[in-house]
Amino acid sequence: MTDTTTHPAGPAEDTAPNFRPILHYTAKNTWLNDPNGLVWHQGVYHLFYQNNPFDNVWGNMSWGHATSTDLLHWTEHPVAIACDEEEDVFSGSIVVDHGNTSGFGTEEDPALVAIYTSAFKEGSAHQGTQAQSLAFSTDAGMTWNKYAGNPVLGRGSAHFRDPKVFRYEGPAGSCWVMVAVEAQHQQVVLYRSANLKDWEYLSTFGPANATGGEWECPDLFPLPVDGDPDSVKWVLVVNINPGAVAGGSGGQYFVGDFDGVQFTADFDSLVPADADGTTDLRHCLWLDWGRDYYAAVSFSNAPENRRIVIGWMSNWDYANQTPTGPWRSAMSLARELSLAMVGGWPQLIQKPVLPDLAESRGRVFELASAVTVEDSSHPVHSSSSGEALIIRAEFLAGTARRFGLDFRETGPAGEVTGQTTLRYDVAGGELAVDRTASGKAGFHPLFPSVESCPVTLRDGVLALEIVLDHCSVEVFAQHGESTITDLVFPAPGGRTVCLVADGGDVTLSQLSVVAIG
Ligand code: FRU
C-alpha cells in the first residue's frame, strides 16, 4: 500500500501543446488536486482546492480558491489558506455557521468556517500526526484566519484526515457532524460537535467493499429515492487510492441509513468477500468507472436542496506527469446527484451541470434523420479539436455485436493521428472507453488504458451524454446511471465523430452536438 500523502513529484517543465480545457476549471499556473470546502454563499459557489501555489506538481499543500455563479465559469482568487512552517493544509470542508456556534462571526453575519486537515511537519509540536483544524472568514470567503486553538481534533494518528462537516437535524438532535478517515485502516470515523471546536466521537464505518488502498475524502448526505421525500436514504462516499475499479484512485459509495450516530449500509450495498478474501470490485458501487474522477465531494448547502459534487479529474498513478503546462490537473464538471431504484436497488444517478449558457455559446448540430451502419464506420460530425463538444446520442441496437462512436483526430492531410473509442458490447452488457491510441499516452506506463462499466439497454436503446474537452472525456450512460471519466491528450487538428458497428448493424436514432470554441 502506498502512502498517498507523499505523492511523488514529476517534471515541472512546460510541455506544449497546452491542453487547457474550456469547460473545466484549472488553476492558471499551478497544480491542483482535491476539491475542498465546496460551499454556496450569498449567491456564489466557492471552489477551494488542494493547491501548490509555487509549482505545478504536488507539494506545499494550501487551499486555492475560485468562485462561480453557474458552476461552469470560474474566477481564480489568491490562495485562501496557506501552508506554513508547522503544517501543510490538506483536504476538508466549509460550513456557513448560521447560528454563530463557533463565535467566529455574528448571528446576523455568520462566518464561513473551514475544517481542514493539518498535516504537521517535522519540528512542529504535533509532528508525525494529522489532525483537524479550523480557519474562518468573515468576508464571505475571500480572506481566512487560522484559529489560534488549532488543532481541534486529533487521534494521535498519522493518517486521520479529510473532514467533511455538515449540519445534522434529526431524531438525534441538532449538531455538526464530521465524517473523516483513518486512511490506512479503511475506516470512516464520525464525530459530533455543538461549536465546531469540541468534538465527541460517534462511530466508525469500515472496512467494507473496496479496501485495496487508503480511504480518503469521505462524504455523507441524504437523498430522496425516486424523488419521494418519505423515502430518504443516506449516501456515504468513500474515495480510495489505490484500489479503485479502473486502477489507482476512484470513488466508491454505500447507500444506507444514518441515525445521527452511526451509518449502516444497506445489505444490497455490501459486497461479501470471496472465499480467498478478495472483493469483486465490479460488484461495488462506483461514482465513476473511469481512471480520472477522484476525491469527489459535495457542496454542503447548494440551493434548492440540490446535491452537487465536483471531482478531481486525475489519478494518483500519473497525476504529476500529465503533459500540460504551466498548469496541471483540472476539476471535473459539476454533477447533480439523485437516487433512483435501478435493478431493484437505490443507486446514484449523475447529471452534468451544463447551464444553458454553454449551449448558447456554441454551434449546435442536430442529426436530420437516423443513420444506420452495418459492419463499418460512418462520419456523423466534424469539428476542430480546439472545440469542446457536448454530445447527446441515442443508439438503437440492431444485430451488431459491438457499436459506438470513434472520436478521430486528423492532421492537415486528413490522416488519422489518434482516436478515442467508445464501444458498447451487447453480449457483455458493457460500455468501454479506449484511450490507448488517444494521442499523448506514453508519458506514463499506466496511462494507456481501457475502462468499462456495466450498462443495461432499455428497450434496445443506449443513451449517452458525452462531454469532450481539450484533455478529457466524460461519458454519462443511460441518463446518468453510470459514468466513465478519462483524461485524453489528443493531437491538435480536425476531429471527426464516427458511428461504428461491428458484426452487424446499429442505428443512431438521435444525435445533437454543441461545439464550444
Ligand atoms: C487525496 C489526498 C487527501 C489529502 C490530500 C493531500 O487526494 O491524498 O487524502 O488530504 O490529497 O493533498
Side-chain angles (χ1 to χ4, degrees), residues 4 7 33-34 50 58 61 90-91 161-162 216 294 316:
T4 53
H7 309 296
N33 57 287
D34 315 356
Q50 289 288 281
W58 188 86
M61 292 328 290
F90 274 17
S91 289
R161 62 179 181 268
D162 304 346
E216 299 185 318
Y294 192 56
W316 282 121

Side-chain angles (χ1 to χ4, degrees), residues 239-257:
N239 288 279
I240 178 168
N241 174 59
V245 65
S249 351
Q252 61 176 332
Y253 69 93
F254 302 84
V255 179
D257 295 302

